Amino acid sequence: GESVGLHLPTLSVQEGDNSIINCAYSNSASDYFIWYKQESGKGPQFIIDIRSNMDKRQGQRVTVLLNKTVKHLSLQIAATQPGDSAVYFCAQMVLTFGGGTRLMVKP
Amino acid sequence: DAGITQSPRHKVTETGTPVTLRCHQTENHRYMYWYRQDPGHGLRLIHYSYGVKDTDKGEVSDGYSVSRSKTEDFLLTLESATSSQTSVYFCAISGGQGRNYGYTFGSGTRLTVV
């Protein structure tokens, strides 16, 4: 039968070039963002994270940029190597609150 | 990944049979999760656990049940496997003491229902 493969956006770069992978998010309340790398046959692996009170964070060869105004996140990989070949996922976490409970303490 | 193991790594089963996947962690993390990964859908949360005997449903929980009788193990059961449950299943843990508030994922279980 016919097989349908995953249609993922693909970025192709030359070894040694810098790579920029982009991610748009929808929830303005997101306060924590993570980039994961998934190699073929493996689970997602943490690369770098950033909290919403920051706009840039650097790791080893990787930099994450956060633009909350346009709800955009990017991952920059410097001097891309063959070992960087993988699928990259961005993820967001939102701190959500319940309605609250008022505690009144009688003297 | 170190500290989290999934078993089996691969399984082929027949439609209608029960299947149990196991996730084992040695990190003493409080939270454990089961995701499935399918082409075009990314990772979708099936069930999660926030402590021993404390579990809750994710976005695609129909047809699945879970159990967590001890901190280390989180079991995912397909009571009667269907072809639509053919997927790659990932377990994840979170809630450690480190700076990383994200999840650590296992290596996955590839399940084929024929």
Side-chain angles (χ1 to χ4, degrees):
Chain A
E2 182 180 17
S3 64
V4 179
L6 172 60
H7 179 64
L8 276 176
T10 300
L11 175 66
S12 183
V13 299
Q14 287 291 118
E15 182 177 354
D17 287 352
N18 296 335
S19 302
I20 300 177
I21 301 171
N22 296 304
C23 178
Y25 62 94
S26 56
N27 194 333
S28 301
S30 296
D31 62 348
Y32 179 65
F33 302 87
I34 312 166
W35 278 102
Y36 286 94
K37 171 186 180 183
Q38 186 176 23
E39 296 174 275
S40 181
K42 297 184 178 179
Q45 179 185 10
F46 172 89
I47 303 174
I48 191 168
D49 57 357
I50 187 168
R51 299 202 73 91
S52 59
N53 61 347
M54 304 170 67
D55 52 24
K56 180 179 179 179
R57 187 145 190 255
Q58 285 186 289
Q60 190 175 20
R61 279 201 312 116
V62 294
T63 300
V64 55
L65 299 177
L66 175 62
N67 185 331
K68 294 181 287 294
T69 302
V70 295
K71 292 186 281 188
H72 183 267
L73 191 69
S74 69
L75 177 71
Q76 300 179 3
I77 305 173
T80 313
Q81 302 168 1
D84 296 324
S85 296
V87 176
Y88 289 81
F89 293 98
C90 62
Q92 59 184 114
M93 290 185 178
V94 178
L95 184 63
T96 56
F97 292 86
T101 298
R102 182 185 300 280
L103 172 65
M104 297 184 67
V105 180
K106 299 177 182 177
Chain B
D1 287 11
I4 178 171
T5 55
Q6 293 183 231
S7 59
R9 289 297 312 276
H10 302 273
K11 186 169 182 65
V12 179
T13 192
E14 292 185 348
T15 299
T17 61
V19 178
T20 296
L21 309 183
R22 180 182 184 236
C23 179
H24 179 78
Q25 60 141 332
T26 58
E27 304 297 316
N28 200 34
H29 282 10
R30 179 178 178 184
Y31 298 93
M32 299 185 76
Y33 311 82
W34 276 107
Y35 287 87
R36 61 178 288 174
Q37 186 174 37
D38 305 288
H41 291 281
L43 285 147
R44 293 182 292 175
L45 181 65
I46 305 171
H47 281 279
Y48 65 97
S49 169
Y50 46 98
V52 174
K53 296 192 187 330
D54 291 324
T55 65
D56 208 344
K57 297 178 180 180
E59 63 180 307
V60 290
S61 60
D62 287 349
Y64 301 95
S65 63
V66 289
S67 66
R68 189 153 178 217
S69 59
K70 48 185 178 177
T71 300
E72 310 88 86
D73 292 322
F74 193 33
L75 305 180
L76 176 71
T77 298
L78 290 67
E79 301 291 348
S80 178
T82 66
S83 58
S84 65
Q85 293 175 312
T86 293
S87 185
V88 181
Y89 292 85
F90 287 100
C91 176
I93 60 176
S94 72
Q97 299 297 316
R99 176 180 52 79
N100 171 16
Y101 299 103
Y103 300 175
T104 301
F105 286 84
S107 298
T109 294
R110 182 173 294 276
L111 176 67
T112 303
V113 183
V114 298

